[in-house]
Amino acid sequence: MTKPCEACGKFTILSRYCGATVCEDCGHHNGLARCYCGWAASGGNGRDELVEMGEVIGDDEPPGVE
Ligand SMILES: [Zn+2]
Ligand SMILES: [Zn+2]
């Protein structure tokens, strides 16, 4: 079971894409300000924000694997 959405109180699901607890209704990520799936609490692009903050986001392969 997941907690209700922190933003709107509706049901959340555990996203299989990004691993976050995501609201089914508004898309809010509980406990996060931004996410590499592209969501951000600010309404911007969370993935771009993470990259700007210096987060290294790989596409498919883990870091260091050629
Ligand atoms: Zn919500
Ligand atoms: Zn996400």
Side-chain angles (χ1 to χ4, degrees):
M1 296 297 286
T2 55
K3 293 178 182 175
C5 175
E6 291 169 347
C8 72
K10 293 187 179 162
F11 289 111
T12 58
I13 55 165
L14 193 63
S15 170
R16 282 195 292 172
Y17 180 70
C18 62
T21 304
V22 178
C23 179
E24 287 187 314
D25 194 60
C26 72
H28 181 84
H29 286 38
N30 274 358
L32 294 174
R34 58 190 63 78
C35 180
Y36 63 81
C37 70
W39 174 87
S42 64
N45 187 312
R47 195 176 195 280
D48 286 348
E49 288 182 15
L50 283 171
V51 171
E52 282 167 19
M53 290 164 67
E55 197 87 19
V56 177
I57 301 172
D59 286 325
D60 289 310
E61 296 174 0
V65 176
E66 293 291 313

